[in-house]
Amino acid sequence: MSKSKIRLKDVTLEYSSDGSCGIWPWKRAYSRRPPPRIVLQDICLEIMAGEFTSILGHSGCGKSTLLKIVAGFSRPTRGTVWIDDCLVTGPQGDHVFVFQEGALFPWLTIQENICLALKSIRNIGERREKAQYYLELVGLEGVEHHYSHMLSGGMRQRAEIARALAAQPDILLMDEPFSGLDYLTRLYLREEMLNLQALLPTTTILFVTHDIDEALQLSNRLIILSEPPAQVKCCRTIRIPHPRVLTSSDLGEMRSLIYHHLGVHTAI
């Protein structure tokens, strides 16, 4: 993990008072509207190839916005994003984004959703067989012919992970994919994420979460954003090998540090 994969240089995003991104300079002189709201300010980051990086911060600080800028869905007001030394100007086909609310196509079966990531396999039978392999990998055997509305939230998220695995992405961007799930399902999906890292060791993963233990258990690196206008408050590498015991003293010290950076000085 020595090669730089993603570079953010002075990334700033601001919204004008009418909700649009930025405001033209000539309008400022004649407008009585409030000044633009700065969401992200001068974000500079460098993510290495193959790293699992978690982004933490208060609600509304711009974590998801930053992820969408890296994905090319949004453009910064100022600054640049580079992937493999190429300027990001829009979404790229070899990058997979797992949304918080899920993005399975409801008119397709679960197997058909996975098959979308396997278009390079021309033989339909072979494609379905490969899709079944990934479904079984995340414990979804027996539901391949179901539609997404027939599955629980946890099962739909596992199907999303199966589709991400099938795509063999170069970069995987995950926006709070486990939010809203029950505690045991979250623990199970953490294990699936560790399996994903083992299966895709060269895939670079950016993972937005509010769960500190989740970030400590999964990440190679933690990035903590300040409150808006968000800047990088802390960037910390975790060198403890997997699997990790969350009750270890090293992780306990790091947990306390994270709480401190988030403004919580007495963590239970």
Side-chain angles (χ1 to χ4, degrees):
M1 295 192 299
S2 58
K3 182 183 177 183
S4 174
K5 187 70 176 177
I6 303 169
R7 285 188 295 115
L8 285 78
K9 177 67 174 174
D10 300 325
V11 169
T12 297
L13 182 74
E14 62 182 43
Y15 290 104
S16 66
S17 56
D18 63 2
S20 61
C21 186
I23 184 168
W24 293 105
W26 62 267
K27 284 189 175 181
R28 289 196 179 103
Y30 303 100
S31 176
R32 295 182 180 179
R33 295 173 180 171
R37 181 173 69 92
I38 302 174
V39 181
L40 304 171
Q41 186 170 42
D42 299 326
I43 301 288
C44 293
L45 285 172
E46 190 170 6
I47 309 297
M48 299 297 113
E51 271 193 325
F52 189 120
T53 302
S54 288
I55 303 174
L56 291 162
H58 291 282
S59 294
C61 74
K63 302 184 298 296
S64 298
T65 301
L66 183 63
L67 202 66
K68 289 174 182 176
I69 288 175
V70 173
F73 296 146
S74 301
R75 299 191 69 175
T77 309
R78 294 189 301 277
T80 54
V81 180
W82 301 78
I83 294 178
D84 291 328
D85 295 325
C86 294
L87 183 66
V88 173
T89 57
Q92 299 184 40
D94 56 349
H95 302 165
V96 172
F97 199 110
V98 178
F99 293 90
Q100 181 176 344
E101 63 274 11
L104 295 173
F105 294 109
W107 58 87
L108 298 178
T109 67
I110 300 304
Q111 185 185 77
E112 289 168 342
N113 268 280
I114 309 305
C115 283
L116 287 175
L118 298 166
K119 287 183 177 179
S120 59
I121 302 175
R122 295 192 175 184
N123 184 282
I124 296 177
E126 185 181 350
R127 190 186 306 168
R128 288 174 179 167
E129 185 178 338
K130 197 71 172 176
Q132 188 64 26
Y133 164 78
Y134 286 110
L135 286 171
E136 292 176 3
L137 200 65
V138 298
L140 285 180
E141 58 272 11
V143 301
E144 57 271 14
H145 300 303
H146 288 52
Y147 293 88
S148 59
H149 72 273
M150 301 167 67
L151 304 183
S152 67
M155 294 173 80
R156 286 195 296 271
Q157 290 293 40
R158 288 191 323 218
E160 292 262 16
I161 291 174
R163 187 167 64 178
L165 278 169
Q168 300 277 306
D170 184 43
I171 294 177
L172 179 58
L173 305 165
M174 308 186 80
D175 185 13
E176 296 190 62
F178 307 154
S179 64
L181 303 180
D182 65 88
Y183 182 68
L184 288 177
T185 302
R186 289 179 75 108
L187 291 179
Y188 179 83
L189 290 178
R190 281 188 207 171
E191 294 182 4
E192 295 301 332
M193 287 304 303
L194 291 173
N195 293 335
L196 186 150
Q197 290 181 72
L199 288 166
L200 303 173
T202 61
T203 296
T204 305
I205 302 174
L206 274 180
F207 188 88
V208 167
T209 181
H210 281 101
D211 191 317
I212 293 171
D213 283 348
E214 196 166 78
L216 286 172
Q217 189 170 21
L218 296 174
S219 310
N220 302 121
R221 189 140 60 114
L222 293 175
I223 293 169
I224 301 175
L225 298 183
S226 67
E227 294 188 34
Q231 296 178 309
V232 177
K233 196 171 186 179
C234 176
C235 186
R236 194 71 174 260
T237 300
I238 305 177
R239 305 192 187 279
I240 302 168
H242 293 103
R244 294 170 182 163
V245 179
L246 288 172
T247 54
S248 70
S249 58
D250 290 338
L251 287 181
E253 290 178 11
M254 196 166 291
R255 185 186 294 106
S256 297
L257 177 68
I258 294 169
Y259 275 117
H260 176 76
H261 280 299
L262 294 174
V264 180
H265 303 293
T266 305
I268 300 175

